[in-house]
Structures are given as C-alpha cells and as structure tokens.
Amino acid sequence: MGSRAQSVICDKVLAGLPQLLDDLQKLSEDQDTADVAFVLGSGEERVYAHRIILMARCKSFQNTKRGEICRIPGCTVSTSAPGTPTPIRLPHIEPDIFRQFILYVYTAKIMLQDSKVFEMMTLAQDMGVEELKIACEDHVSKTMSVANACTFLTAVMEIQEKASGAKCAAPFLEKCITYIAENASECVKTNAFLNLTKEGLIQVISYDNLGLEEEDVWRCVLAWAKNQAGVTQPTAHWTEEERQRVCQYLAPVISHVRLFLIDSQVFAEEVEPTGAVPIELSLERYRRAALHSNKLPTVTATAVPVPSGPLTENDKRLQPRLMLNLFHGSAILKNDKIHFQGTLNGWYGASKQTWRMVYRASTNGFAASAFHRHCDGVAPLYIIALGSNGAISGGFTDVAFAKTNRKGGYLHSEKAFLFALNSNNESPAKFDIVKKPYAICYHPDCGPIFGAGADLLISNNCNINMESYSNFPHSYDGPNSMFGHLFGDYNFSIIDYEVFTPAPTSATAANKIKHDRY
C-alpha cells in the first residue's frame, strides 16, 4: 500500500515538471527581478539573470572569494546603484550564444548548432557548467559526418582565433582534419568545404594524410576558389576579370598543392590554363618531369637531383601524400594505425589499391555463419583481426572460402600469407605459405582458418571465448617467425575482425571528384 502511494506521488511530481520548466524559462526572461546584467559583445547588449540561480548552476559563481561576484575569464564587474542589476561585461561573447546558455542554466534545454557548438563548449567551460561542456563534446563526436565536418572545422578555428582560452576545443581541430582527410573524396563535394575560410582550406590541403590524388586536390582547390570568386564557368570560358578574381583566391593557397606530383597531362590541360601558376614554377615542374621520364639506370625516381632554388629535399611539394581510406570504413586500421593500410597494399603489390569491406564481426555478427554468409565465394580477401591484447594480425588469400565435399576441407593457394602488424611493438611482418595445399580451410562452424594445424583459426563467437588459436609457424613461415607471433599466445580472444576485397575499378573511378577539366 505504501509503495503504491509513493508511486502515485512521484507520478504527480513528474507531471508538474513541464510547468516548472516553463516557469523557470519565464523567470530567465524577467528583467524586473534580475540582479545581474551581462553586457555582451561590441554592441553591449544586455542579458539579465538571477545570481541565486547562477550560484546553484555555475562553478564560476560558486568558487569566489569574499567580495567577488564571479570568476569568469575575461569578465569585468562594475559597481551598480542599490536595487539595480550588477553589470558583468563579457565583450568577447555573442549575445545569441549567451541567451541559449542562460536558457540552459535555468531549464536544462538547449539546441546545439554545428556552427556554434565550440562557442557554447568554451562558454560552458568558462562558466563552469561541466555537463553542458560534455554535451557539446558528445555532439561533435557523435554527429560528425561528411555533411558537417567542414562546418565543425570552420567553427573550431573561429573559436580558437576569437578566444585564447578555448583549450577544450583545441583537440577537435585535429579530429576534424583527420575525419575530412579520411573521407576527403566526399567531404570536398560539400558546400561546407566550398565555404571554408582560406585558413581552413590550407589546414586541409596541407595535411600529409589527405586521402586524395594530387590531381583531385588541385580540382577541389580550384572549385573552392571559383566558389569564393563567384565564378561558375569552366576555365576556358572565363573573362579576364573572372580569371583575375579566381587567381586572387588561388594565390595564397596554391603553394600548398603539390604541383610537382600532378600528372603532366592534367597539369597542362587543367592547371596551367588558369594562369595561377608562376611561369618559373611551371618550367621547374616540367624540368623535373623530364628528369623522371628519362628513367636512367643510375637515377631512380627518388634520387633525382633537387634543383637549386627554393626547393629542397624536405619540400612538401615533392613528398607524396600518405593515402588514407584505402580500406574504406575500417575501424581497426584508423587513427594512429592508418599507416598499416599502406603496408598491406605494399604486400598486395598495388600501392593505391582501395578495398571494399564485405564483413565486420562487430557489425554483422561474430557467429561463424555470419562470416561465411558474407565472405564465402569472395576473393581475394584481406582478413584483419584485433586481439584482446591490442595485436593486429591476420591473413590474405587469393582463393575464396568455399564448401568442399567434406565438412572441413583445405584449399590450395600460391599467394596466401599471414601477417602481424604490431606484434610486441615490432615492425610489420609477412609470412608466406610454404605448404600450399593447406593454405586455407573451409569449416562451417568456424570463422576463417589459415593453414593445417591451424596457423590461424578464428572461432565461432570469438569475442566471448578463448577458442581462437594459432599453431604458427606450420603451414606458413618467414624470417623471425616464432610461436605466439600473431596474437601473443596459442589461445586468444578476438574482439573484432574485418574482411576486405578489392574495390572494383569502376567504383573507384566513380568516386573521383567530378569537376570541369578546364
């Protein structure tokens, strides 16, 4: 009886919550009872509040010494006549942002905007409202997408320029650039990219890991400059006045495009006609291209003498970018593990090969049946597994997993190999198949199996058991191979694994940025 009565009382209390929030919102707008007036921005617009509410909600009003009203970075508190609100000047804060903040303080309601989230994050930090700061951080981390990544980049750069104390926003600059780089082929097609500031564009195209061919870096920079200049016509149709406008925007950013890496035909047909490249740079670019095309036995592509003048061996314009997004969508080979993508492509024998994910255990299911449903009959395959100890190892097969006449059957391969990318913090290692009739094994009750023995077997539901095992080296071997080389022990748990197959050439071509050539 007592518990039921308590439940009814709680329901009635909660039923009054909407009205309470409405009343608090009205209170936040009540200038007559306010005892604090925030004077905001260059226009000194006033937003009123109640000190008792601020003391309850904001640490900047709690952690004060005797005689202080608040401790907000960059504020100036003025004296006021008795009975009038105390002015607190915050010239660096926009009134609209602060109104949203005050509404949150009173009602815990807020609608975060991508373009203003870092301003709100910094304000929450300065005012000492930790849960709002965390909400802003979560908003960026959980909602970042192709559509808004460049908007976030613009916003974080603006707040860093505007507020020297915006330390909480600083880590997101690298996150934004990394996300854009990993998804460059899509991000550069967005209006948010075309509307980047000059400084924002330079941040993106200067990034060594930008996942674009250099020809496409040039094309997206040209598209940006045309958008900034308000020019829509292809290069061949520009008036002289339009050419000057576009070149005005290209001038401060073109040095960050690695023109020496652009294909000679593209350079002649798409870059030079804009008139944006100084003649000296064009001549130097052609001279270097000629040296490379000679292909003398004693002069390799990496050993071409560096010309006298502004170029040096360390000049970024001579350094190929580290292509990202080769293994599209990988959750294992990302961030500080991205460079392993190049290692795998090197072993495959095609440095610019892109890969399509056909299966991820954490997405499609850890059951062996899920692996076989998505992967059987598909080849070649890269299988990349993450062990519970942080080891990243796996295997490559040029033949498909397929049912045989018996329950478990081996399949022959000439090219299969196993690999360990970060075993014991050592350099990546590749282990070739030495017993070729036993390269891989099909078994419906297990995930992928490499070698007799097996050298690597990923078990059914491998994330919740220790039944995965490695009897390596056996059918596979190589320099410095040893027991436990793949995942540290005979038995182990796999917390996730991904399977990739080469992306078709037509899909790769379709992903190219489509811009006017002239």
Side-chain angles (χ1 to χ4, degrees):
M1 185 73 178
S3 60
R4 182 179 178 184
Q6 185 178 10
S7 175
V8 171
I9 293 172
C10 289
D11 289 343
K12 288 182 177 179
V13 170
L14 292 174
L17 187 58
Q19 184 61 51
L20 173 62
L21 295 178
D22 287 345
D23 291 342
L24 287 170
Q25 182 169 342
K26 291 176 184 176
L27 181 64
S28 71
E29 300 165 356
D30 187 358
Q31 298 182 18
D32 294 335
T33 59
D35 53 3
V36 172
F38 292 96
V39 185
L40 306 163
S42 56
E44 297 196 336
E45 195 168 330
R46 293 187 169 230
V47 172
Y48 293 88
H50 302 80
R51 188 178 175 190
I52 189 69
I53 299 290
L54 298 170
M55 289 177 67
R57 298 277 282 145
C58 307
K59 289 183 179 178
S60 61
F61 279 80
Q62 298 167 4
N63 304 328
T64 57
K65 296 179 180 178
R66 180 173 297 180
E68 284 184 327
I69 290 182
C70 64
R71 286 192 157 192
I72 306 172
C75 80
T76 303
V77 180
S78 305
T79 57
S80 60
T84 62
T86 301
I88 301 176
R89 297 182 182 277
L90 294 168
H92 58 288
I93 303 296
E94 287 187 15
D96 288 344
I97 288 290
F98 200 84
R99 285 193 191 90
Q100 294 176 43
F101 171 78
I102 288 295
L103 180 62
Y104 178 84
V105 168
Y106 278 73
T107 67
K109 294 179 182 177
I110 197 159
M111 183 69 71
L112 293 172
Q113 300 173 299
D114 292 344
S115 60
K116 299 294 183 181
V117 66
F118 293 108
E119 287 189 63
M120 185 63 73
M121 186 188 301
T122 303
L123 179 57
Q125 174 186 261
D126 290 347
M127 297 294 291
V129 183
E130 183 68 16
E131 76 273 13
L132 177 56
K133 172 176 165 285
I134 292 172
C136 292
E137 293 171 346
D138 287 347
H139 174 80
V140 177
S141 298
K142 293 177 180 178
T143 68
M144 189 177 294
S145 66
V146 165
N148 66 12
C150 291
T151 301
F152 281 141
L153 176 61
T154 298
V156 73
M157 292 184 69
E158 282 180 355
I159 193 62
Q160 285 191 307
E161 182 180 351
K162 187 186 301 183
S164 58
K167 294 180 180 178
C168 60
F172 288 94
L173 177 63
E174 182 68 21
K175 289 183 180 180
C176 290
I177 295 172
T178 299
Y179 184 92
I180 294 168
E182 291 178 348
N183 300 276
S185 61
E186 296 300 320
C187 286
V188 299
K189 298 174 186 176
T190 63
N191 288 331
F193 175 83
L194 295 177
N195 291 318
L196 282 173
T197 62
K198 175 189 69 178
E199 294 75 17
L201 179 72
I202 289 173
Q203 286 275 5
V204 172
I205 64 176
S206 298
Y207 194 56
D208 286 335
N209 292 335
L210 182 63
L212 291 176
E213 299 283 358
E214 207 61 36
E215 291 83 1
D216 288 331
V217 175
W218 160 256
R219 290 170 183 140
C220 71
V221 168
L222 178 59
W224 173 86
K226 288 173 64 177
N227 181 71
Q228 298 290 311
V231 174
T232 58
Q233 293 296 320
T235 308
H237 297 169
W238 289 351
T239 65
E240 186 56 35
E241 189 269 337
E242 287 176 329
R243 185 181 309 280
Q244 290 179 5
R245 289 210 316 268
V246 174
C247 288
Q248 181 181 355
Y249 285 99
L250 284 174
V253 302
I254 197 170
S255 63
H256 300 278
V257 180
R258 302 176 188 188
L259 298 174
F260 292 90
L261 305 182
I262 292 178
D263 175 78
S264 294
Q265 183 177 351
V266 175
F267 188 82
E269 294 179 354
E270 301 183 33
V271 181
E272 279 194 308
T274 64
V277 183
I279 185 64
E280 298 84 1
L281 195 59
S282 287
L283 291 174
E284 183 57 45
R285 191 234 167 273
Y286 283 119
R287 190 184 82 82
R288 290 184 63 80
L291 286 172
H292 281 275
S293 65
N294 285 336
K295 298 183 179 178
L296 297 175
T298 56
V299 181
T300 64
T302 58
V304 174
V306 177
S308 59
L311 291 175
T312 67
E313 286 286 3
N314 295 324
D315 195 305
K316 272 196 171 185
R317 290 173 291 177
L318 304 177
Q319 306 299 320
R321 297 179 191 271
L322 304 173
M323 293 292 288
L324 292 185
N325 228 15
L326 297 170
F327 287 74
H328 293 287
S330 177
I332 297 175
L333 300 183
K334 66 176 186 177
N335 300 331
D336 62 336
K337 305 296 188 300
I338 278 176
H339 62 284
F340 290 136
Q341 295 187 8
T343 302
L344 295 182
N345 261 6
W347 290 334
Y348 180 68
S351 62
K352 295 182 179 180
Q353 177 65 52
T354 56
W355 298 78
R356 175 178 61 88
M357 182 184 292
V358 295
Y359 168 79
R360 179 192 285 144
S362 59
T363 301
N364 303 117
F366 284 89
S369 58
F371 165 77
H372 288 291
R373 184 167 61 253
H374 288 86
C375 303
D376 283 2
V378 181
L381 292 177
Y382 253 126
I383 296 168
I384 305 164
L386 175 63
S388 57
N389 64 347
I392 301 174
S393 297
F396 170 84
T397 174
D398 58 324
V399 297
F401 289 91
K403 292 182 179 179
T404 60
N405 294 330
R406 50 203 177 96
K407 187 174 184 181
Y410 292 101
L411 295 165
H412 181 281
S413 169
E414 295 286 332
K415 299 179 180 179
F417 59 85
L418 295 177
F419 60 84
L421 294 178
N422 61 347
S423 176
N424 296 319
N425 295 317
E426 296 177 3
S427 299
K430 173 175 174 275
F431 310 105
D432 291 319
I433 180 67
V434 292
K435 297 180 180 178
K436 296 178 181 179
Y438 306 100
I440 63 172
C441 178
Y442 178 89
H443 196 300
D445 298 332
C446 300
I449 304 173
F450 286 80
D455 292 70
L456 174 62
L457 181 149
I458 297 180
S459 69
N460 180 50
N461 295 321
C462 58
N463 62 319
I464 57 173
N465 61 54
M466 293 285 288
E467 295 174 9
S468 298
Y469 68 89
S470 173
N471 191 33
F472 174 83
H474 189 267
S475 300
Y476 292 80
D477 208 345
N480 303 317
S481 61
M482 65 184 77
F483 172 77
H485 207 136
L486 300 183
F487 292 101
D489 209 338
Y490 183 85
N491 287 103
F492 45 85
S493 177
I494 297 293
I495 61 176
D496 203 2
Y497 69 103
E498 301 170 337
V499 181
F500 291 87
T501 195
T505 304
S506 58
T508 304
N511 284 334
K512 287 280 190 181
I513 307 167
K514 295 179 175 63
H515 289 306
D516 295 323
R517 293 190 64 188
Y518 299 100

